[in-house]
Amino acid sequence: MDEKPVGNESTAMTDTLSRLDPNVQTPSTPSPHNTGELQPRRTASFSDSVYQHSDDDGKDMENIPDNSIEIPISNDPIQPVLSRVISKVVTAKSSIVPRSKRRGLFSSLCIIPEIENPYEHTRMSKKLITLVIAVAGSSAPMASAMVFPALSQISRDLHATQTLTNLSVALYMFGMAVFPLWWSSFAERLGYRTIFLVSFVLYVVSNVCCAISVNIGMFITFRVCSGASAASAQTIGAGTLSSIWEVYERGKWMGIFYLGPLMGPLIAPIIGGALSGSSFGWRSIMWFLAVFGALIVVFIIFCLPETFRKPKDSRQIAVEKEEPDIDRTVTRASAVTKRKASRWIKTLKILLVDPLRSLIFIRFPPVLVTVYWASLAFSALYILNISLQRTFARPPYNFPTMTVGLMYIPNSLGYVVASVAGGKWNDVIMRNAAVKRKRKSQNTENTGPETPLEYRPEDRMGINAWVAGALFPLALLWYGWVVQYGVFWFAAMIPTFLFGIGSMLVFSMATTMLTEFVPGRSASVVAVNNFFRNMFSCVGGIVAEPIIEAIGNGWLFTIICAVGLLSCGSVFIMQKYGPIWRAKALNGEYKFMNT
């Protein structure tokens, strides 16, 4: 949607903008070069690692950019409502990319224009983009959980053993863990929009192939492709959010984004059970997922503009120019052959080596500590899910399948509460830390009040991190011993609700910080996080049932609680050493981060 240029405005308009932004220039006469359009000029530094912004809460929260805007004065009357509308505009016409130059597949069809600075999208556009990627992010975990009620049907229909059918679930998780490394690497070369479209078209095709599978081998193959395709949304989605929401409000919207991936498993078993009971059986689940994926493709085409910002040291997808061949004895034919071989080698490097190089970010200490903490909470989530299914389906509870599915509602409600409230809490804590640091700097270094606030990623780990780090382990301890002794079922639902709050606070906080540690490479860093946390959860899912069988829920969750409480040291480590590590990175001591 192209914004219309703003014509000549009155003095009232100028006064309104002056009150909103002290940087607004108010000339007494129009400049000769002034066309009446908003001419944005960024005057603040928007760094994802250390963000500096003004100390004006009102201006920050209204999301008015720090622009210098020149408005000509005329004697034409102006409606008061127009000034209110203009004061909310954050996309200037001059920053809109022409349709012919927009990036990404079918970009000319998108109703939200691509702009030069994605931070300056209107809030309505940002919210719509967030909604699209949240829905896309729900597809992978929803597809994973939806087949659980139909596993026995799949085994009978495809003449496979139950063990082989269960293997499709484990390999689906494997695809979700590994392939985001490739999606993030390609996205940082081709852009987010292109990878979103390609991956979800593959997701639709994979689910159609699952629906028409004639044997278990075909089914497993395309289930892996389905999980690998849909997993792109969780990594690229986080990167997209970091490119449109500024750091001082990013935590809130990252929490809302996570509602999609975490709410998917809540409704998936219900939908899966209803569809598997229909006349089409388990195949109707696959057709449902294909239709759902097709709808996501439509939303991506029309509502998801390109927002990727290339880092200063970004690698180029184009093959670099070869140095001139100074060996005059080499024939022209051999030189051409050499160039072709070089191109093939570089192409293979892009396709096979570069995606795996993202794993090198785990060597950056802040990434290592954050990924470890998030992976621990994520693996605990999967162990809890297995325990819920196993425990309430057996004595002394003996709940039917549908009732067992309802046992997952309390922790899902905890996710919702923490997503909505925790993200905002995250931002408030970060801002309070920045304000405190500024006041300390004014007292010790005699800096003026005009000094901008300095936001640091580790500032997000405040009292919220200590609460989350203690809440989710203690909730698991409570749950473990309640079900161990067969206490009334409601007594077990309270700790699962608290676990949902604690674990979601960890997920949201960790993901937001990871998008800020390595500016311009947020998708790759989040892909590393997804790789390790899914590997942790895969191992947890495999060992959970035999351990429960051997020592019971009580002792299993006691061990997890002890590890979780000890891991609260991650918060102390990040608060003390985080600034030191980032300073070393800025000084180039971690050379691998520039590869």
Side-chain angles (χ1 to χ4, degrees), residues 17 20-24 38-44 46 51 53-54 58-69 86-92 117 119-123 126 246 248:
L17 291 173
L20 289 170
D21 192 342
N23 291 324
V24 171
L38 298 181
Q39 303 294 331
R41 185 181 77 236
R42 305 299 293 179
T43 59
F46 294 95
Y51 175 82
H53 197 70
S54 70
K59 184 171 64 178
D60 290 353
M61 293 303 101
E62 289 296 323
N63 198 26
I64 298 173
D66 188 16
N67 296 341
S68 291
I69 303 175
I86 295 301
S87 69
K88 298 292 184 180
V89 170
V90 292
T91 302
N117 185 356
Y119 284 147
E120 295 180 353
H121 274 295
T122 62
R123 290 190 73 83
K126 291 181 180 182
E246 303 204 52
Y248 60 88

Side-chain angles (χ1 to χ4, degrees), residues 274-351:
L275 292 175
S276 61
S278 67
S279 58
F280 291 99
W282 65 270
R283 296 182 190 271
S284 62
I285 297 176
M286 301 297 115
W287 287 114
F288 174 86
L289 293 174
V291 173
F292 182 70
L295 291 175
I296 293 175
V297 170
V298 172
F299 279 109
I300 291 172
I301 291 175
F302 293 106
C303 302
L304 190 63
E306 182 57 68
T307 62
F308 175 64
R309 304 160 174 262
K310 287 191 176 183
K312 294 180 180 180
D313 62 341
S314 64
R315 299 159 292 169
Q316 301 297 319
I317 190 169
V319 177
E320 298 175 0
K321 295 181 179 179
E322 290 83 2
E323 295 181 1
D325 192 351
I326 61 174
D327 189 353
R328 299 181 182 275
T329 63
V330 179
T331 65
R332 183 182 298 275
S334 62
V336 172
T337 303
K338 183 178 179 180
R339 285 194 296 269
K340 288 183 178 180
S342 178
R343 289 191 182 100
W344 276 106
I345 290 173
K346 289 180 179 179
T347 300
L348 291 175
K349 175 176 173 290
I350 290 172
L351 295 176

Side-chain angles (χ1 to χ4, degrees), residues 169-237:
V169 178
L171 292 179
Y172 182 94
M173 293 296 299
F174 177 79
M176 287 180 59
V178 173
F179 279 87
L181 296 173
W182 270 259
W183 293 129
S184 62
S185 178
F186 296 157
E188 289 170 357
R189 296 177 180 276
L190 302 174
Y192 295 147
R193 177 183 170 88
T194 295
I195 300 304
F196 261 120
L197 272 176
V198 170
S199 61
F200 273 91
V201 168
L202 290 175
Y203 176 73
V204 173
V205 173
S206 298
N207 282 302
V208 170
C209 292
C210 285
I212 61 176
S213 294
V214 295
N215 55 59
I216 192 64
M218 180 179 178
F219 178 77
I220 291 177
T221 299
F222 286 104
R223 278 291 288 173
V224 174
C225 293
S226 173
S229 302
S232 66
Q234 295 186 34
T235 53
I236 304 175

Side-chain angles (χ1 to χ4, degrees), residues 155-168:
S155 180
R156 289 194 305 268
D157 192 29
L158 299 181
H159 309 290
T161 63
Q162 192 65 47
T163 300
L164 193 57
T165 306
N166 291 341
L167 182 63
S168 67

